[in-house]
Amino acid sequence: ENPLSTGEVMTSGGRNLTATQTKLLAEGNNLGNVLTPIYGILENQSDLFGPGRGFIQGANPYAVKTQTVEDDLRRAAQTIGKYMEGGVLRKEDEIKYHKMLPKITDMPEVARNKLDGVAQMLANQQQEYIDAYAKAGYDVSQFLGEGDEAQDDFNW
């Protein structure tokens, strides 16, 4: 019986994913390694954030902690953008994703809200990829959480 005709999603036993599909889903599952350190920065170094403090320290090349946080955010924007764009990241895309992430000039609460929004966007995108591949008859079982259904929460 064709799983697509019944509306069911094939999660295992289907065709093998291509190398590109496998790489994309693996990158999606590993995005927690990008987001977790940023959450840690927001929790442990929230004193670096704020409109005044962030602006002044962001302009100070000797403010090592602030400069390091800004570099971490730039790297995260590149990784997230590459994933969201399916592997190809243009300069405009990098700018777009950098704007979505927290800025050192954001209030700590705003920075946390921005990061939560990005995490949800990434979880939704990963779920869409998994669902689409499964509906197309690909075996996505290695990218699922516990049980037979795709993950709704990637614990980012």
Side-chain angles (χ1 to χ4, degrees):
E1 179 176 288
N2 181 349
L4 298 181
S5 65
T6 63
E8 295 175 20
V9 174
M10 180 182 299
T11 56
S12 64
R15 297 181 290 168
N16 289 332
L17 291 164
T18 67
T20 302
Q21 291 167 326
T22 301
K23 183 177 186 233
L24 184 65
L25 292 179
E27 286 174 357
N29 278 358
N30 287 320
L31 284 170
N33 295 330
V34 174
L35 296 178
T36 299
I38 297 172
Y39 276 110
I41 289 168
L42 292 176
E43 285 183 30
N44 301 319
Q45 299 181 50
S46 64
D47 60 319
L48 298 176
F49 289 80
R53 180 177 296 138
F55 179 77
I56 292 168
Q57 293 299 317
N60 180 356
Y62 300 104
V64 175
K65 287 182 182 178
T66 303
Q67 298 300 322
T68 301
V69 167
E70 288 188 327
D71 286 342
D72 291 342
L73 293 170
R74 266 192 295 281
R75 278 190 301 278
Q78 287 179 333
T79 303
I80 290 166
K82 184 179 172 202
Y83 168 76
M84 290 296 293
E85 299 300 324
V88 179
L89 188 64
R90 298 171 303 154
K91 183 68 175 169
E92 305 85 52
D93 296 326
E94 185 177 332
I95 293 167
K96 173 176 66 175
Y97 291 104
H98 185 65
K99 286 182 179 182
M100 288 181 193
L101 286 168
K103 305 267 178 300
I104 205 75
T105 54
D106 290 334
M107 293 297 296
E109 302 83 20
V110 171
R112 175 63 189 233
N113 291 341
K114 281 182 166 183
L115 190 56
D116 288 344
V118 168
Q120 187 60 55
M121 175 188 73
L122 294 171
N124 291 344
Q125 183 65 54
Q126 180 74 347
Q127 192 65 55
E128 287 177 23
Y129 284 140
I130 289 171
D131 290 346
Y133 294 153
K135 286 179 183 172
Y138 288 97
D139 179 358
V140 295
S141 60
Q142 66 186 0
F143 297 100
L144 301 178
E146 302 209 6
D148 295 330
E149 297 300 317
Q151 289 178 259
D152 289 327
D153 180 9
F154 289 89
N155 297 315
W156 298 328

